[in-house]
Amino acid sequence: MALAALKMLTLDSSDASRDAAFWNAVLGWDIAHDADGYAMLTGPDHALGFGTVPDFEAPSWPNEHGSKQFHLDLAVDDLDAAAQECVALGATLPEDQPGDTWRVLLDPSGHPFCLTQAANWG
């Protein structure tokens, strides 16, 4: 039996409202809250929160020092089309791409995330 169940992941942000709008467009999750430097999306099984942090420093990519901490992996049908759409929504596509079966992008606050081939997830 599990000790706990993960319900939400919260990301530090330079602009919680902007990041919630970006991830709302990418994931299609509802914006459940957006006020006073905090925003939250609700999805089918989990929530994603954003808290505006003064003097926020974005993680770097590539990151040889391991200070990035984590990233999100998203399954898509077409890597190039999904990457272009994410860029149009405000993401950045860095030049450094470590493989051919996924794309690393940075959300508007600089958090890295990966688009992966949905077929590879089974």
Side-chain angles (χ1 to χ4, degrees), residues 52-77:
T52 301
V53 173
D55 301 320
F56 173 80
E57 290 186 35
S60 62
W61 178 262
N63 188 310
E64 295 84 19
H65 305 291
S67 57
K68 146 177 86 76
Q69 306 280 319
F70 70 92
H71 67 271
L72 303 175
D73 289 325
L74 308 176
V76 299
D77 292 325

Side-chain angles (χ1 to χ4, degrees), residues 60-114:
S60 62
W61 178 262
N63 188 310
E64 295 84 19
H65 305 291
S67 57
K68 146 177 86 76
Q69 306 280 319
F70 70 92
H71 67 271
L72 303 175
D73 289 325
L74 308 176
V76 299
D77 292 325
D78 183 323
L79 285 176
D80 292 329
Q84 288 177 351
E85 202 165 332
C86 287
V87 168
L89 292 168
T92 303
L93 181 68
E95 284 187 36
D96 191 353
Q97 295 292 321
D100 295 328
T101 59
W102 68 90
R103 299 287 181 278
V104 176
L105 289 101
L106 308 175
D107 78 3
S109 278
H111 299 109
F113 66 98
C114 291

Side-chain angles (χ1 to χ4, degrees), residues 4-92:
L6 177 66
K7 294 297 182 182
M8 183 167 78
L9 174 68
T10 301
L11 304 177
D12 289 348
S13 170
S14 59
D15 184 332
S17 294
R18 179 205 57 217
D19 290 349
F22 171 79
W23 285 104
N24 162 262
V26 171
L27 298 174
W29 292 7
D30 293 330
I31 297 176
H33 178 83
D34 186 0
D36 301 323
Y38 181 77
M40 181 176 70
L41 301 178
T42 53
D45 297 316
H46 299 90
L48 186 58
F50 306 92
T52 301
V53 173
D55 301 320
F56 173 80
E57 290 186 35
S60 62
W61 178 262
N63 188 310
E64 295 84 19
H65 305 291
S67 57
K68 146 177 86 76
Q69 306 280 319
F70 70 92
H71 67 271
L72 303 175
D73 289 325
L74 308 176
V76 299
D77 292 325
D78 183 323
L79 285 176
D80 292 329
Q84 288 177 351
E85 202 165 332
C86 287
V87 168
L89 292 168
T92 303

